[in-house]
Amino acid sequence: MENYQKILVAVDGSDQADRAFQKSLELAQKYGAALAIASVVDLRSFSPNISYDGSLEERAWRAAEARVEDYGKRAKEAGIEEVATFVDRGNPKIILASKIPEHFGADLIVVGATGMNRVEKFVLGSISSYVLAHAKVDTLVAR
Protein backbone atom coordinates (compact mmCIF):
# COMPACT_ATOMS: atom_id res chain seq x y z
CA MET A 1 0.00 0.00 0.00
CA GLU A 2 1.21 3.47 -0.85
CA ASN A 3 1.84 6.28 1.57
CA TYR A 4 -1.12 8.46 0.60
CA GLN A 5 -0.76 12.20 1.11
CA LYS A 6 -4.08 13.59 -0.18
CA ILE A 7 -7.22 11.58 0.44
CA LEU A 8 -10.59 12.53 -1.02
CA VAL A 9 -13.80 11.12 0.45
CA ALA A 10 -17.25 11.45 -1.08
CA VAL A 11 -20.19 11.96 1.28
CA ASP A 12 -23.90 12.13 0.57
CA GLY A 13 -25.56 11.63 3.93
CA SER A 14 -25.94 7.85 3.59
CA ASP A 15 -24.69 5.20 6.01
CA GLN A 16 -22.31 3.98 3.30
CA ALA A 17 -20.82 7.47 2.98
CA ASP A 18 -20.39 7.67 6.74
CA ARG A 19 -18.43 4.40 6.63
CA ALA A 20 -16.32 5.83 3.80
CA PHE A 21 -15.63 8.91 5.91
CA GLN A 22 -14.56 6.78 8.88
CA LYS A 23 -12.21 4.75 6.67
CA SER A 24 -10.75 7.90 5.08
CA LEU A 25 -10.24 9.39 8.55
CA GLU A 26 -8.34 6.28 9.69
CA LEU A 27 -6.14 6.40 6.60
CA ALA A 28 -5.49 10.14 6.92
CA GLN A 29 -4.45 9.61 10.54
CA LYS A 30 -2.22 6.66 9.63
CA TYR A 31 -0.40 8.51 6.85
CA GLY A 32 -0.58 12.06 8.20
CA ALA A 33 -2.44 12.90 5.01
CA ALA A 34 -4.58 15.86 4.04
CA LEU A 35 -8.27 15.04 3.79
CA ALA A 36 -10.78 16.49 1.34
CA ILE A 37 -14.48 15.94 1.93
CA ALA A 38 -16.73 16.33 -1.10
CA SER A 39 -20.45 16.30 -1.75
CA VAL A 40 -22.10 16.76 -5.14
CA VAL A 41 -25.64 17.98 -5.71
CA ASP A 42 -26.90 15.76 -8.52
CA LEU A 43 -28.75 18.07 -10.89
CA ARG A 44 -30.26 15.07 -12.64
CA SER A 45 -32.42 14.50 -9.56
CA PHE A 46 -34.36 17.71 -10.31
CA SER A 47 -36.76 16.81 -13.09
CA PRO A 48 -37.08 19.39 -15.88
CA ASN A 49 -40.75 18.40 -16.10
CA ILE A 50 -41.45 19.86 -12.68
CA SER A 51 -41.78 23.59 -12.46
CA TYR A 52 -39.93 24.86 -9.42
CA ASP A 53 -38.34 28.10 -8.38
CA GLY A 54 -34.93 26.61 -7.66
CA SER A 55 -35.57 26.29 -3.94
CA LEU A 56 -35.23 22.48 -4.04
CA GLU A 57 -31.80 22.75 -5.56
CA GLU A 58 -30.86 25.51 -3.13
CA ARG A 59 -31.95 23.39 -0.15
CA ALA A 60 -29.93 20.46 -1.49
CA TRP A 61 -26.92 22.77 -1.85
CA ARG A 62 -27.25 24.05 1.72
CA ALA A 63 -27.61 20.50 3.02
CA ALA A 64 -24.46 19.47 1.16
CA GLU A 65 -22.55 22.46 2.58
CA ALA A 66 -23.70 21.63 6.11
CA ARG A 67 -22.75 17.98 5.58
CA VAL A 68 -19.19 18.66 4.49
CA GLU A 69 -18.77 21.30 7.19
CA ASP A 70 -19.83 18.78 9.84
CA TYR A 71 -17.48 16.12 8.51
CA GLY A 72 -14.72 18.74 8.30
CA LYS A 73 -15.15 19.58 11.98
CA ARG A 74 -15.07 15.91 12.87
CA ALA A 75 -11.85 15.45 10.91
CA LYS A 76 -10.17 18.38 12.64
CA GLU A 77 -11.32 17.09 16.04
CA ALA A 78 -9.71 13.75 15.13
CA GLY A 79 -6.39 15.51 14.59
CA ILE A 80 -6.31 15.91 10.80
CA GLU A 81 -4.34 19.10 10.24
CA GLU A 82 -5.23 19.82 6.61
CA VAL A 83 -8.93 19.51 5.80
CA ALA A 84 -10.56 20.81 2.63
CA THR A 85 -14.22 20.73 1.69
CA PHE A 86 -15.84 20.75 -1.74
CA VAL A 87 -19.45 21.15 -2.76
CA ASP A 88 -20.32 21.05 -6.44
CA ARG A 89 -23.31 20.70 -8.76
CA GLY A 90 -23.58 18.26 -11.63
CA ASN A 91 -23.05 14.60 -12.33
CA PRO A 92 -21.45 13.10 -9.19
CA LYS A 93 -19.81 10.30 -11.16
CA ILE A 94 -17.76 12.62 -13.33
CA ILE A 95 -17.08 15.23 -10.68
CA LEU A 96 -15.91 12.67 -8.10
CA ALA A 97 -13.86 10.64 -10.58
CA SER A 98 -11.96 13.51 -12.14
CA LYS A 99 -12.82 17.16 -11.41
CA ILE A 100 -12.37 17.29 -7.62
CA PRO A 101 -9.47 14.78 -7.46
CA GLU A 102 -7.56 16.80 -10.06
CA HIS A 103 -8.28 20.10 -8.29
CA PHE A 104 -7.29 18.74 -4.87
CA GLY A 105 -4.41 16.61 -6.16
CA ALA A 106 -5.85 13.48 -4.55
CA ASP A 107 -3.84 10.28 -4.62
CA LEU A 108 -6.65 8.21 -3.09
CA ILE A 109 -10.43 8.45 -3.43
CA VAL A 110 -12.67 6.77 -0.84
CA VAL A 111 -16.33 6.14 -1.67
CA GLY A 112 -19.06 4.19 0.05
CA ALA A 113 -20.49 1.03 -1.44
CA THR A 114 -23.87 1.64 -2.93
CA GLY A 115 -27.03 0.18 -1.49
CA MET A 116 -28.52 -0.40 -4.94
CA ASN A 117 -29.56 -3.82 -6.18
CA ARG A 118 -28.41 -5.27 -9.54
CA VAL A 119 -31.33 -3.85 -11.53
CA GLU A 120 -30.87 -0.36 -10.09
CA LYS A 121 -27.14 -0.52 -10.84
CA PHE A 122 -27.85 -1.59 -14.42
CA VAL A 123 -30.39 1.16 -15.01
CA LEU A 124 -28.79 3.97 -13.01
CA GLY A 125 -25.19 2.91 -12.67
CA SER A 126 -23.52 3.39 -9.35
CA ILE A 127 -21.26 6.27 -8.49
CA SER A 128 -18.76 3.99 -6.77
CA SER A 129 -18.57 1.69 -9.81
CA TYR A 130 -18.01 4.63 -12.12
CA VAL A 131 -15.32 6.15 -9.90
CA LEU A 132 -13.57 2.76 -9.66
CA ALA A 133 -13.55 2.43 -13.44
CA HIS A 134 -12.61 6.00 -14.36
CA ALA A 135 -10.53 7.59 -11.60
CA LYS A 136 -6.87 8.12 -12.41
CA VAL A 137 -5.81 7.44 -8.80
CA ASP A 138 -6.34 4.59 -6.37
CA THR A 139 -9.92 4.16 -5.21
CA LEU A 140 -11.17 2.42 -2.10
CA VAL A 141 -14.79 1.32 -1.72
CA ALA A 142 -15.75 1.17 1.95
CA ARG A 143 -18.35 -1.45 2.81
Side-chain angles (χ1 to χ4, degrees):
M1 185 179 283
E2 295 197 26
N3 186 7
Y4 298 108
Q5 296 302 306
K6 291 194 167 200
I7 300 170
L8 168 66
V9 61
V11 296
D12 64 3
S14 67
D15 289 342
Q16 295 88 353
D18 195 53
R19 285 192 289 277
F21 172 75
Q22 291 301 324
K23 181 57 75 175
S24 69
L25 192 59
E26 291 170 16
L27 290 168
Q29 290 169 325
K30 177 178 180 178
Y31 295 116
L35 182 63
I37 304 154
S39 189
V40 179
V41 177
D42 190 348
L43 296 178
R44 299 170 303 163
S45 64
F46 302 103
S47 173
N49 299 325
I50 298 174
S51 175
Y52 71 99
D53 61 5
S55 64
L56 291 174
E57 184 182 331
E58 184 58 34
R59 283 188 296 203
W61 182 267
R62 284 194 308 267
E65 286 181 319
R67 181 180 312 117
V68 298
E69 183 180 320
D70 178 58
Y71 279 116
K73 286 178 185 175
R74 289 170 54 188
K76 286 185 184 249
E77 289 169 0
I80 306 303
E81 291 182 24
E82 186 181 338
V83 178
T85 58
F86 295 92
V87 178
D88 207 342
R89 290 178 171 92
N91 184 330
K93 294 176 181 181
I94 295 168
I95 291 170
L96 294 170
S98 61
K99 183 179 176 184
I100 295 174
E102 288 173 11
H103 179 76
F104 177 63
D107 51 15
L108 176 67
I109 302 170
V110 182
V111 294
T114 173
M116 292 189 288
N117 65 38
R118 284 185 182 158
V119 174
E120 289 170 322
K121 283 182 190 175
F122 178 74
V123 174
L124 301 173
S126 83
I127 293 169
S128 55
S129 294
Y130 185 91
V131 173
L132 269 171
H134 294 91
K136 294 179 181 167
V137 299
D138 290 352
T139 303
L140 173 69
V141 178
R143 298 198 180 276

Tab-separated table of all heavy atoms in Angstrom, residues 94-124:
chain	number	residue	atom	x	y	z
A	94	ILE	N	-18.849	11.936	-12.622
A	94	ILE	CA	-17.764	12.617	-13.328
A	94	ILE	C	-16.994	13.534	-12.386
A	94	ILE	O	-15.758	13.558	-12.387
A	94	ILE	CB	-18.338	13.399	-14.527
A	94	ILE	CG1	-18.930	12.410	-15.535
A	94	ILE	CG2	-17.273	14.280	-15.167
A	94	ILE	CD1	-19.776	13.041	-16.605
A	95	ILE	N	-17.728	14.268	-11.585
A	95	ILE	CA	-17.080	15.227	-10.681
A	95	ILE	C	-16.202	14.518	-9.659
A	95	ILE	O	-15.086	14.959	-9.376
A	95	ILE	CB	-18.144	16.117	-10.013
A	95	ILE	CG1	-18.762	17.033	-11.083
A	95	ILE	CG2	-17.560	16.925	-8.866
A	95	ILE	CD1	-19.985	17.789	-10.627
A	96	LEU	N	-16.687	13.392	-9.114
A	96	LEU	CA	-15.913	12.670	-8.101
A	96	LEU	C	-14.785	11.832	-8.690
A	96	LEU	O	-13.806	11.539	-8.017
A	96	LEU	CB	-16.831	11.795	-7.256
A	96	LEU	CG	-17.821	12.567	-6.386
A	96	LEU	CD1	-18.860	11.625	-5.781
A	96	LEU	CD2	-17.098	13.350	-5.301
A	97	ALA	N	-14.912	11.443	-9.954
A	97	ALA	CA	-13.863	10.639	-10.579
A	97	ALA	C	-12.728	11.489	-11.125
A	97	ALA	O	-11.582	11.030	-11.183
A	97	ALA	CB	-14.446	9.788	-11.702
A	98	SER	N	-13.022	12.740	-11.507
A	98	SER	CA	-11.956	13.514	-12.145
A	98	SER	C	-11.837	14.962	-11.674
A	98	SER	O	-10.747	15.402	-11.317
A	98	SER	CB	-12.111	13.474	-13.661
A	98	SER	OG	-13.339	14.050	-14.053
A	99	LYS	N	-12.919	15.715	-11.664
A	99	LYS	CA	-12.818	17.156	-11.410
A	99	LYS	C	-12.232	17.474	-10.036
A	99	LYS	O	-11.232	18.186	-9.923
A	99	LYS	CB	-14.185	17.813	-11.565
A	99	LYS	CG	-14.160	19.313	-11.385
A	99	LYS	CD	-15.534	19.928	-11.570
A	99	LYS	CE	-15.497	21.421	-11.293
A	99	LYS	NZ	-16.833	22.012	-11.374
A	100	ILE	N	-12.853	16.971	-8.976
A	100	ILE	CA	-12.372	17.286	-7.622
A	100	ILE	C	-11.020	16.631	-7.342
A	100	ILE	O	-10.127	17.292	-6.801
A	100	ILE	CB	-13.429	16.941	-6.551
A	100	ILE	CG1	-14.665	17.847	-6.736
A	100	ILE	CG2	-12.855	17.101	-5.151
A	100	ILE	CD1	-15.831	17.512	-5.835
A	101	PRO	N	-10.803	15.355	-7.720
A	101	PRO	CA	-9.473	14.779	-7.461
A	101	PRO	C	-8.345	15.558	-8.145
A	101	PRO	O	-7.281	15.739	-7.558
A	101	PRO	CB	-9.576	13.365	-8.032
A	101	PRO	CG	-11.022	13.056	-8.016
A	101	PRO	CD	-11.736	14.358	-8.241
A	102	GLU	N	-8.587	16.026	-9.360
A	102	GLU	CA	-7.561	16.804	-10.057
A	102	GLU	C	-7.331	18.141	-9.362
A	102	GLU	O	-6.187	18.560	-9.171
A	102	GLU	CB	-7.961	17.018	-11.514
A	102	GLU	CG	-7.852	15.753	-12.349
A	102	GLU	CD	-8.412	15.910	-13.749
A	102	GLU	OE1	-8.714	17.045	-14.174
A	102	GLU	OE2	-8.566	14.874	-14.421
A	103	HIS	N	-8.400	18.798	-8.962
A	103	HIS	CA	-8.284	20.099	-8.292
A	103	HIS	C	-7.539	19.970	-6.954
A	103	HIS	O	-6.670	20.781	-6.633
A	103	HIS	CB	-9.672	20.711	-8.090
A	103	HIS	CG	-9.641	22.036	-7.397
A	103	HIS	ND1	-9.254	23.188	-8.032
A	103	HIS	CD2	-9.929	22.388	-6.119
A	103	HIS	CE1	-9.299	24.199	-7.174
A	103	HIS	NE2	-9.709	23.734	-6.008
A	104	PHE	N	-7.877	18.954	-6.185
A	104	PHE	CA	-7.285	18.742	-4.868
A	104	PHE	C	-5.909	18.084	-4.953
A	104	PHE	O	-5.087	18.219	-4.058
A	104	PHE	CB	-8.237	17.894	-4.016
A	104	PHE	CG	-7.738	17.526	-2.651
A	104	PHE	CD1	-7.475	18.505	-1.698
A	104	PHE	CD2	-7.522	16.204	-2.298
A	104	PHE	CE1	-7.017	18.173	-0.424
A	104	PHE	CE2	-7.075	15.858	-1.032
A	104	PHE	CZ	-6.821	16.846	-0.099
A	105	GLY	N	-5.655	17.364	-6.041
A	105	GLY	CA	-4.411	16.607	-6.163
A	105	GLY	C	-4.466	15.300	-5.401
A	105	GLY	O	-3.451	14.812	-4.905
A	106	ALA	N	-5.655	14.710	-5.321
A	106	ALA	CA	-5.846	13.480	-4.547
A	106	ALA	C	-5.017	12.337	-5.109
A	106	ALA	O	-4.864	12.195	-6.323
A	106	ALA	CB	-7.327	13.085	-4.551
A	107	ASP	N	-4.495	11.508	-4.197
A	107	ASP	CA	-3.838	10.283	-4.619
A	107	ASP	C	-4.615	9.051	-4.148
A	107	ASP	O	-4.220	7.929	-4.419
A	107	ASP	CB	-2.378	10.229	-4.182
A	107	ASP	CG	-2.157	10.512	-2.707
A	107	ASP	OD1	-3.132	10.488	-1.932
A	107	ASP	OD2	-1.003	10.757	-2.324
A	108	LEU	N	-5.743	9.282	-3.474
A	108	LEU	CA	-6.653	8.212	-3.087
A	108	LEU	C	-8.055	8.795	-2.980
A	108	LEU	O	-8.245	9.870	-2.409
A	108	LEU	CB	-6.260	7.589	-1.738
A	108	LEU	CG	-7.206	6.518	-1.190
A	108	LEU	CD1	-7.193	5.265	-2.070
A	108	LEU	CD2	-6.854	6.158	0.254
A	109	ILE	N	-9.019	8.076	-3.549
A	109	ILE	CA	-10.427	8.447	-3.430
A	109	ILE	C	-11.117	7.347	-2.628
A	109	ILE	O	-10.924	6.161	-2.912
A	109	ILE	CB	-11.107	8.568	-4.809
A	109	ILE	CG1	-10.388	9.601	-5.678
A	109	ILE	CG2	-12.590	8.926	-4.650
A	109	ILE	CD1	-10.839	9.602	-7.135
A	110	VAL	N	-11.909	7.731	-1.643
A	110	VAL	CA	-12.666	6.773	-0.842
A	110	VAL	C	-14.151	7.055	-1.058
A	110	VAL	O	-14.602	8.193	-0.893
A	110	VAL	CB	-12.324	6.879	0.655
A	110	VAL	CG1	-13.101	5.836	1.459
A	110	VAL	CG2	-10.826	6.723	0.885
A	111	VAL	N	-14.878	6.025	-1.461
A	111	VAL	CA	-16.327	6.140	-1.668
A	111	VAL	C	-17.019	5.019	-0.916
A	111	VAL	O	-16.426	3.982	-0.638
A	111	VAL	CB	-16.712	6.080	-3.172
A	111	VAL	CG1	-16.190	7.288	-3.926
A	111	VAL	CG2	-16.216	4.801	-3.820
A	112	GLY	N	-18.270	5.230	-0.602
A	112	GLY	CA	-19.057	4.187	0.048
A	112	GLY	C	-19.637	3.243	-0.978
A	112	GLY	O	-19.903	3.630	-2.118
A	113	ALA	N	-19.821	1.997	-0.574
A	113	ALA	CA	-20.487	1.031	-1.442
A	113	ALA	C	-21.942	1.438	-1.556
A	113	ALA	O	-22.539	1.930	-0.606
A	113	ALA	CB	-20.367	-0.373	-0.855
A	114	THR	N	-22.485	1.258	-2.703
A	114	THR	CA	-23.867	1.636	-2.930
A	114	THR	C	-24.828	0.615	-2.342
A	114	THR	O	-24.496	-0.561	-2.241
A	114	THR	CB	-24.148	1.801	-4.432
A	114	THR	OG1	-25.543	2.001	-4.612
A	114	THR	CG2	-23.735	0.598	-5.223
A	115	GLY	N	-26.000	1.067	-2.001
A	115	GLY	CA	-27.029	0.178	-1.490
A	115	GLY	C	-27.964	-0.318	-2.581
A	115	GLY	O	-28.957	-0.957	-2.307
A	116	MET	N	-27.622	-0.023	-3.847
A	116	MET	CA	-28.516	-0.402	-4.936
A	116	MET	C	-28.434	-1.896	-5.242
A	116	MET	O	-27.392	-2.515	-5.082
A	116	MET	CB	-28.165	0.376	-6.205
A	116	MET	CG	-28.451	1.845	-6.109
A	116	MET	SD	-28.268	2.685	-7.681
A	116	MET	CE	-26.503	2.686	-7.879
A	117	ASN	N	-29.559	-2.430	-5.741
A	117	ASN	CA	-29.556	-3.821	-6.183
A	117	ASN	C	-29.074	-3.891	-7.630
A	117	ASN	O	-28.802	-2.874	-8.258
A	117	ASN	CB	-30.938	-4.459	-5.997
A	117	ASN	CG	-31.996	-3.819	-6.871
A	117	ASN	OD1	-31.743	-3.449	-8.007
A	117	ASN	ND2	-33.198	-3.691	-6.341
A	118	ARG	N	-28.963	-5.089	-8.192
A	118	ARG	CA	-28.414	-5.266	-9.542
A	118	ARG	C	-29.199	-4.511	-10.609
A	118	ARG	O	-28.617	-3.940	-11.520
A	118	ARG	CB	-28.361	-6.747	-9.898
A	118	ARG	CG	-27.253	-7.469	-9.225
A	118	ARG	CD	-27.176	-8.884	-9.710
A	118	ARG	NE	-26.120	-9.584	-9.017
A	118	ARG	CZ	-26.061	-10.886	-8.899
A	118	ARG	NH1	-26.995	-11.637	-9.420
A	118	ARG	NH2	-25.062	-11.442	-8.259
A	119	VAL	N	-30.514	-4.534	-10.522
A	119	VAL	CA	-31.332	-3.854	-11.527
A	119	VAL	C	-31.107	-2.350	-11.456
A	119	VAL	O	-30.917	-1.688	-12.478
A	119	VAL	CB	-32.831	-4.197	-11.352
A	119	VAL	CG1	-33.690	-3.374	-12.291
A	119	VAL	CG2	-33.067	-5.683	-11.560
A	120	GLU	N	-31.094	-1.797	-10.246
A	120	GLU	CA	-30.866	-0.361	-10.089
A	120	GLU	C	-29.481	0.018	-10.609
A	120	GLU	O	-29.323	1.046	-11.270
A	120	GLU	CB	-30.992	0.043	-8.621
A	120	GLU	CG	-32.423	0.001	-8.107
A	120	GLU	CD	-32.487	0.176	-6.595
A	120	GLU	OE1	-31.614	-0.360	-5.886
A	120	GLU	OE2	-33.416	0.863	-6.152
A	121	LYS	N	-28.478	-0.809	-10.347
A	121	LYS	CA	-27.137	-0.519	-10.841
A	121	LYS	C	-27.107	-0.529	-12.367
A	121	LYS	O	-26.446	0.290	-12.989
A	121	LYS	CB	-26.130	-1.537	-10.300
A	121	LYS	CG	-25.743	-1.301	-8.878
A	121	LYS	CD	-24.707	-2.313	-8.458
A	121	LYS	CE	-24.480	-2.253	-6.980
A	121	LYS	NZ	-23.565	-3.291	-6.511
A	122	PHE	N	-27.822	-1.492	-12.962
A	122	PHE	CA	-27.845	-1.593	-14.423
A	122	PHE	C	-28.519	-0.370	-15.033
A	122	PHE	O	-28.019	0.217	-15.986
A	122	PHE	CB	-28.573	-2.866	-14.862
A	122	PHE	CG	-28.676	-2.990	-16.356
A	122	PHE	CD1	-27.558	-3.331	-17.107
A	122	PHE	CD2	-29.867	-2.752	-17.006
A	122	PHE	CE1	-27.637	-3.436	-18.489
A	122	PHE	CE2	-29.951	-2.843	-18.386
A	122	PHE	CZ	-28.839	-3.191	-19.129
A	123	VAL	N	-29.632	0.037	-14.467
A	123	VAL	CA	-30.388	1.156	-15.012
A	123	VAL	C	-29.715	2.490	-14.694
A	123	VAL	O	-29.549	3.343	-15.558
A	123	VAL	CB	-31.837	1.145	-14.472
A	123	VAL	CG1	-32.598	2.379	-14.916
A	123	VAL	CG2	-32.567	-0.108	-14.945
A	124	LEU	N	-29.325	2.684	-13.449
A	124	LEU	CA	-28.791	3.966	-13.009
A	124	LEU	C	-27.271	4.038	-13.045
A	124	LEU	O	-26.704	5.108	-13.234
A	124	LEU	CB	-29.254	4.255	-11.570
A	124	LEU	CG	-30.750	4.301	-11.333
A	124	LEU	CD1	-31.027	4.426	-9.853
A	124	LEU	CD2	-31.377	5.449	-12.102
